[in-house]
Amino acid sequence: MDTQIRPQEKENGAGNRPGYNPAEIESKWQQVWEDNGDNHASDDDPRPKFYNLVMFPYPSGDLHIGHWYNFVGADVYGRYMRQNGYNVMQPFGFDAFGLPAENAAIKRGVQAYKWTMSNVERTWGQLKTMGGIWDLERRVVTCQPDYYKWTEWFFLKLYHAGLAYRAKAPVWWCPNDQTVLANEQVLANGTCERCGAVVIKRDLEQWFFRITKYADRLLEYKGLDWPESTKLKQINWIGRSEGARINFVAQDADGQSHTIPVFTTRPDTINGVTFFLLAPEHPLVEKLVTPEQRAEVEAYVDKARRETEIERQSTDKEKSGVFIGSYITNPVNGQPVPIWITDYVLMSYGTGAVMGVPAHDQRDFEFARKFGLPIVMVYQPDDHEVDPHSMPEALVHQGHVVNSGQFDGLPDGPETIKQFISWIEHNGWGNAEVSYRLRDWLISRQRYWGTPIPMVYCPQDGIVPVPEDQLPVLLPTDVEFKPSGESPLKDIPEFVNTTCPKCGGPARRETDTMDTFMCSSWYFLRYPNPHDEQAAFDPEKIRQWMPVDQYTGGPEHATMHLLYARFFTMALHDMGLLDFEEPFTRLVHQGMILSEGRKMSKSKGKAIAPDTLVQEHGADAVRAFLMFLGPFERGADWNANTEQLLVGTNRFLYRVWTMGLEAAEQSPNRVDTDQSTETDIRRVQHKTIKRVVSDIRNFQFNTALSGLMEMVNEMQRIGGNTAGIRTTKAWGEAVDTLLVLLSPLCPHITEELWHQLGHGGSVHAQHVPVFDPALAADEVITIVVQVNGKLRETIQIAAGTNGDEIQAVALASPKVSVQLNGAKPKKVIYVPGKLVNVVI
RNA sequence: GGGCGCGUGGCGGAACUGGCAGACGCAGGGGACUUAAAAUCCCCCGGCUUCGGUCGUGUGGGUUCGAGUCCCACCGUGCCCACCA
């Protein structure tokens, strides 16, 4: 950037006032605040608490400007709440387990722990230059044993509550990262959320958390002030569907019966079933395939296995499948229908089996057309009849029931579905059921750098949890890496070999580690007592601080962290460990800062570092600039023109500086005069209070700043036109208000000026100025005069003039008379205090 | 394919509940100060215009005295989900 303003070199303002030197005043005040303990939220503070949380970052080594954006916004809010009289706790920590450290260890031979901790310290130093009210005494680093000991403890708690289980299941596998992934970590296009590699499915024995048990409660959002869009993302992710489970029965070649349930949301179409579909991986395929069909079926299953998920899930692919040779009976009408396998039936949703109703389901329709299977109508439109042989597509959700005995004539809708379900239940063919898209949370990772799973495998006793008093299971710090698809911990005999806690015999440890989302699912419970060695958390302190009042972080965590943390909290609540069910009362997402339209990432070399900007212009300037970019929740694109905008907020700060010092020169001998301009100054002051206070409350920092800019502009205008106004008490109070309102955004410059003005204490300890509507009221108001909705005139009139008079003035105005041309207006609309619209 | 957003000057963006479109800022133009430059301060800054006006918030329609804002359709764009039975 071509820096046109170099604060360090600048001598500004008239006279011999000191120039604005952010580097000097910022480090000075940061030190003072730290020495005074201003940023530490004490547990013994009579003020009401306010827990202001940001999503803690991964310590990659450098904070980029996007992190700053997030943290500055949160800090502005925290400072503002402190000025509202709250004891604000604003902690900071690091989500320090995860792949980058492990990759660095493999690549450069450094120890993951050392590498991570040096990044933590570096990031910590960067964070301090921001001048935020981060509570340095409450730092949490998840890869330290005093933290992960309790992550292990939580695992045991969930295990003992029956919420953790081990199962063999087809799981997502990233061949690049050599580990399994949670369902949530696989992107829609079938690639790894971390590295972008195409993922595959593998059958592996893994640890799962029973998050599905909480599906319905996760849909409640009791008392939460969250963005609707985030709730919707979670609701869609959980994907609740109401329907029925219906049991079909097939016989294999040996005459043995097999009941295969299907889940359907349309049990009302049960009479339209003309075929039955199984997922290729369905275990009963093996049993039910006939000898003649075996070769073809095996070939298809094999092909489906080898396909990547991208290929398999591509929606525009033509339907494919194979008849397995046997038939299954529809319990409702006793009709046998052929069993096919197809890759559009997923083993992981519902029961892995689907009843084929081609007349009323588009996928089944396409399947039937492709393979010449019969189509039976069980609904017909009310106004005409559809011929199944010529229909171009499935008839979905319209018309009335046909071909279904006593149900014929019923309209399509939930009531009809209910009647079918009662009938099915009454006859014992099945039952009402709710199905979810949400899967249990897979937490095993075949990686080294994570929290050890505190489990032991004993040849005698099987799976045995490590007793609580033996925690933590320590992660060895010195590890050889031979990426093999299995955890590197497997190669460390001292780690693997242990004794069974039950029988004392030789046993081996679980060598997989936990998903890092496990660490972030409870970190907010640790901040209230981060150094407690006796417990994960102290119930007293939890009661004092939780739940989180304000949580600020990126929307990309909607279906991962934010869902897991809620599940965790609910589970702990049910164990009696917490007395609330939702961890985060109010949630705000900052928008993303893009770099020339792309996501900022260190690996792609597109990350913008805040450091140089801070060195050149000061933290206050960067803070103000970031918050002025646009609406906080929208974010911004960082391109060649972006940094130019810093000039604007910087100029503003210089104006504030000059105004502050100028006011300081007058401060001891301010007077009251009876100039009307004093009223003008007070009006500006109070209008600004109203605006800025509501903007900050709503995270609209850009308009808060423009409101403050307008205040300064307006004051300068009045000050330039009125001799003596700058020495009045009104002026002094307005300057004070300006500093207090600006202080959450720019904490250092305002603190310096506050002291220059001779005030005691800190600007940050001042209460938010109180808005006085009487002082903000205009004496003269502007009335817009429209003719037929078009602006023709504006009139200035004393506030309080009654409506009739205003209308009379408006009608008498020359512009209106011309339009009227002697005629009478058809109608006159008067909006009090705002406008008159004359309809001709 | 489904869900949720967004579309306003040269640029970032304002506009509360339908009521002066373009606040605030950047860039640009002009002026003051200066030996000069930077900085600072003041003025102008959507298009067209016969200077009366007139057109203008992605496009087309609608509701209304009045629409950037509400409704319908379409176009573009972003995010999330996606053969979910």
Side-chain angles (χ1 to χ4, degrees):
Chain A
M1 177 193 176
D2 176 19
T3 45
Q4 296 188 316
I5 301 178
R6 292 191 178 278
Q8 296 88 335
E9 296 165 12
K10 206 167 131 16
E11 283 296 322
N12 79 313
N16 293 322
R17 292 185 198 117
Y20 171 45
N21 184 344
E24 194 181 294
I25 63 172
E26 288 179 1
S27 53
K28 177 177 90 184
W29 287 113
Q30 284 168 15
Q31 194 58 50
V32 170
W33 297 331
E34 198 178 326
D35 293 346
N36 291 347
D38 284 352
N39 298 339
H40 176 60
S42 161
D43 292 339
D44 326 297
D45 190 302
R47 293 175 293 176
K49 69 96 182 182
F50 191 87
Y51 190 167
N52 190 43
L53 184 66
V54 289
M55 291 183 187
F56 64 169
Y58 177 80
S60 64
D62 281 294
L63 290 177
H64 59 63
I65 204 78
H67 291 118
W68 262 62
Y69 188 70
N70 175 191
F71 303 152
V72 168
D75 185 56
V76 172
Y77 195 78
R79 286 179 171 281
Y80 166 78
M81 288 313 285
R82 205 163 68 169
Q83 289 185 326
N84 274 288
Y86 290 91
N87 179 27
V88 174
M89 173 166 77
Q90 186 172 297
F92 200 89
F94 295 92
D95 193 10
F97 275 130
L99 278 174
E102 194 161 344
N103 292 338
I106 294 167
K107 230 185 190 165
R108 290 184 251 157
V110 292
Q111 279 188 13
Y113 183 80
K114 284 187 181 160
W115 185 85
T116 304
M117 288 311 290
S118 78
N119 283 344
V120 163
E121 294 311 330
R122 208 181 125 67
T123 310
W124 195 245
Q126 272 182 311
L127 182 76
K128 283 186 175 179
T129 67
M130 184 186 290
I133 54 173
W134 309 110
D135 194 334
L136 305 187
E137 293 174 42
R138 296 183 188 270
R139 185 171 91 167
V140 150
V141 183
T142 62
C143 70
Q144 293 185 315
D146 65 352
Y147 184 87
Y148 73 69
K149 171 182 179 178
W150 302 111
T151 310
E152 293 175 4
W153 183 81
F154 280 117
F155 180 95
L156 294 176
K157 284 283 164 205
L158 290 165
Y159 177 78
H160 292 303
L163 291 169
Y165 65 93
R166 193 166 162 80
K168 187 165 190 163
V171 292
W172 298 108
W173 175 266
C174 174
N176 183 44
D177 291 339
Q178 292 277 305
T179 184
V180 300
L181 299 169
N183 206 34
E184 289 77 6
Q185 289 171 308
V186 179
L187 303 180
N189 63 5
T191 59
C192 170
E193 181 240 0
R194 287 218 79 96
C195 72
V198 174
V199 299
I200 55 172
K201 277 240 160 132
R202 286 180 63 174
D203 275 336
L204 289 171
E205 186 132 314
Q206 305 284 308
W207 283 101
F208 291 87
F209 283 158
R210 236 179 268 283
I211 189 172
T212 50
K213 194 180 162 194
Y214 284 82
D216 277 328
R217 276 166 67 190
L218 287 166
L219 290 167
E220 286 178 14
Y221 303 98
K222 265 186 264 174
L224 297 192
D225 180 6
W226 277 33
E228 284 306 314
S229 61
T230 305
K231 286 199 247 174
L232 266 166
K233 272 184 202 166
Q234 292 197 345
I235 289 165
N236 289 337
W237 185 262
I238 293 166
R240 184 180 201 274
S241 300
E242 286 183 12
R245 170 184 283 247
I246 303 174
N247 298 309
F248 284 64
V249 180
Q251 294 207 328
D252 63 23
D254 305 331
Q256 202 189 336
S257 285
H258 299 277
T259 299
I260 311 180
V262 295
F263 172 76
T264 178
T265 54
R266 299 299 308 274
D268 52 325
T269 63
I270 184 74
N271 286 298
V273 174
T274 58
F275 53 92
F276 193 89
L277 298 165
L278 290 175
E281 310 91 330
H282 199 285
L284 287 175
V285 172
E286 175 65 21
K287 287 254 172 6
L288 294 169
V289 63
T290 57
E292 313 81 74
Q293 293 298 102
R294 182 169 291 273
E296 206 186 335
V297 165
E298 279 175 358
Y300 186 84
V301 171
D302 200 44
K303 187 174 139 259
R305 277 242 166 83
R306 265 181 299 132
E307 269 177 342
T308 66
E309 286 300 314
I310 300 182
E311 286 161 358
R312 179 154 175 189
Q313 297 202 342
S314 136
T315 23
D316 38 51
K317 189 174 75 170
E318 218 184 301
K319 293 282 176 288
S320 68
V322 177
F323 175 45
I324 70 167
S326 49
Y327 292 78
I328 195 163
T329 307
N330 183 344
V332 169
N333 52 24
Q335 274 178 14
V337 291
I339 304 175
W340 288 62
I341 55 171
T342 178
D343 59 7
Y344 80 81
V345 174
L346 309 173
M347 201 55 221
S348 52
Y349 183 76
T351 62
V354 171
M355 60 185 215
V357 186
H360 308 293
D361 180 283
Q362 186 58 23
R363 292 154 303 177
D364 296 347
F365 177 81
E366 287 165 22
F367 193 81
R369 275 281 188 268
K370 165 117 191 220
F371 296 107
L373 295 162
I375 297 175
V376 171
M377 309 300 296
V378 287
Y379 273 96
Q380 281 289 357
D382 297 331
D383 51 353
H384 66 285
E385 188 143 314
V386 165
D387 174 8
H389 300 287
S390 62
M391 66 198 291
E393 58 181 13
L395 183 73
V396 184
H397 277 304
Q398 45 176 305
H400 58 272
V401 177
V402 296
N403 290 329
S404 300
Q406 75 268 38
F407 296 105
D408 285 0
L410 290 175
D412 178 277
E415 263 316 303
T416 300
I417 293 177
K418 264 190 202 157
Q419 293 194 34
F420 269 91
I421 294 176
S422 319
W423 174 63
I424 287 164
E425 284 186 330
H426 184 256
N427 288 286
W429 298 319
N431 53 277
E433 187 166 276
V434 176
S435 186
Y436 302 90
R437 213 198 70 105
L438 183 71
R439 312 290 149 76
D440 276 340
W441 174 16
L442 165 57
I443 61 124
S444 302
R445 295 292 179 275
Q446 290 67 48
R447 302 300 308 215
Y448 155 66
W449 194 232
T451 306
I453 296 174
M455 286 288 164
V456 166
Y457 300 97
C458 170
Q460 293 296 315
D461 300 303
I463 300 174
V464 184
V466 174
E468 283 181 22
D469 58 15
Q470 289 176 28
L471 297 183
V473 174
L474 280 173
L475 202 56
T477 45
D478 225 349
V479 183
E480 282 279 327
F481 289 96
K482 283 178 254 155
S484 61
E486 289 188 304
S487 170
L489 292 172
K490 268 212 155 126
D491 299 326
I492 304 175
E494 310 87 81
F495 180 83
V496 177
N497 297 324
T498 185
T499 50
C500 170
K502 240 186 193 166
C503 69
R508 70 193 169 76
R509 285 194 190 284
E510 167 69 65
T511 54
D512 286 353
T513 54
M514 293 183 215
D515 180 5
T516 56
F517 278 113
M518 186 69 191
C519 313
S520 54
S521 292
W522 73 277
Y523 76 110
F524 45 89
L525 299 173
R526 188 65 178 168
Y527 285 132
N529 53 326
H531 311 299
D532 193 332
E533 288 176 13
Q534 305 308 311
F537 56 79
D538 173 349
E540 264 316 300
K541 295 193 169 170
I542 290 293
R543 214 163 290 133
Q544 180 182 351
W545 286 107
M546 286 294 293
V548 171
D549 297 285
Q550 169 63 47
Y551 196 23
T552 311
E556 68 275 14
H557 289 108
T559 54
M560 293 195 270
H561 162 61
L562 288 168
L563 204 53
Y564 297 146
R566 293 180 65 217
F567 156 64
F568 228 83
T569 306
M570 288 174 185
L572 295 175
H573 169 266
D574 292 357
M575 293 174 208
L577 294 171
L578 298 175
D579 52 11
F580 52 91
E581 291 182 62
E582 290 283 359
F584 314 125
T585 306
R586 183 186 186 215
L587 175 70
V588 170
H589 296 303
Q590 82 279 7
M592 208 186 287
I593 302 289
L594 301 171
S595 180
E596 307 202 314
R598 301 173 142 215
K599 210 172 156 175
M600 239 182 240
S601 88
K602 208 189 167 194
S603 53
K604 283 167 197 134
K606 279 281 187 187
I608 310 292
D611 306 43
T612 337
L613 288 173
V614 173
Q615 276 159 26
E616 256 176 65
H617 305 284
D620 283 341
V622 175
R623 290 171 65 111
F625 157 63
L626 285 175
M627 295 301 100
F628 192 62
L629 277 177
F632 184 65
E633 289 172 70
R634 196 187 296 179
D637 183 33
W638 197 282
N639 55 42
N641 299 324
T642 310
E643 284 184 36
Q644 233 172 31
L645 301 177
L646 197 145
V647 173
T649 38
N650 223 351
R651 279 186 190 140
F652 166 67
L653 290 185
Y654 277 90
R655 260 174 230 161
V656 171
W657 179 257
T658 310
M659 188 180 254
L661 291 187
E662 207 178 74
E665 286 161 18
Q666 302 291 340
S667 59
N669 28 23
R670 293 197 169 274
V671 291
D672 276 321
T673 68
D674 51 3
Q675 296 178 88
S676 65
T677 37
E678 283 176 62
T679 321
D680 293 343
I681 289 291
R682 291 221 157 84
R683 186 176 307 120
V684 171
Q685 178 191 350
H686 282 271
K687 280 185 167 173
T688 308
I689 292 171
K690 186 175 188 206
R691 228 180 121 170
V692 172
V693 161
S694 102
D695 282 346
I696 293 182
R697 188 171 288 282
N698 296 314
F699 278 76
Q700 285 159 354
F701 307 123
N702 57 328
T703 48
L705 268 164
S706 60
L708 291 165
M709 287 173 177
E710 276 181 79
M711 178 180 184
V712 170
N713 292 348
E714 198 55 17
M715 283 177 72
Q716 296 289 30
R717 194 185 58 76
I718 297 170
N721 293 339
T722 314
I725 186 70
R726 288 165 191 269
T727 58
T728 60
K729 284 184 182 163
W731 185 273
E733 283 165 26
V735 172
D736 290 351
T737 292
L738 170 70
L739 295 180
V740 176
L741 290 176
L742 179 61
S743 65
L745 289 144
C746 302
H748 312 88
I749 188 175
T750 46
E751 183 79 317
E752 175 67 24
L753 290 172
W754 186 256
H755 284 263
Q756 294 277 348
L757 279 160
H759 296 306
S762 164
V763 70
H764 304 295
Q766 303 307 306
H767 199 276
V768 172
V770 178
F771 171 63
D772 184 340
L775 293 176
D778 287 303
E779 284 160 356
V780 175
I781 56 171
T782 305
I783 300 287
V784 170
V785 183
Q786 298 180 332
V787 176
N788 290 340
K790 277 197 175 166
L791 175 75
R792 292 293 166 187
E793 180 77 286
T794 58
I795 52 179
Q796 308 289 319
I797 201 154
T801 310
N802 77 45
D804 291 343
E805 202 174 316
I806 287 175
Q807 288 180 59
V809 173
L811 283 170
S813 93
K815 296 268 172 73
V816 176
S817 320
V818 167
Q819 297 286 329
L820 271 172
N821 200 18
K824 273 224 153 197
K826 211 193 245 173
K827 196 173 169 189
V828 177
I829 287 154
Y830 172 60
V831 181
K834 278 198 174 147
L835 98 168
V836 177
N837 187 14
V838 183
V839 185
I840 299 180

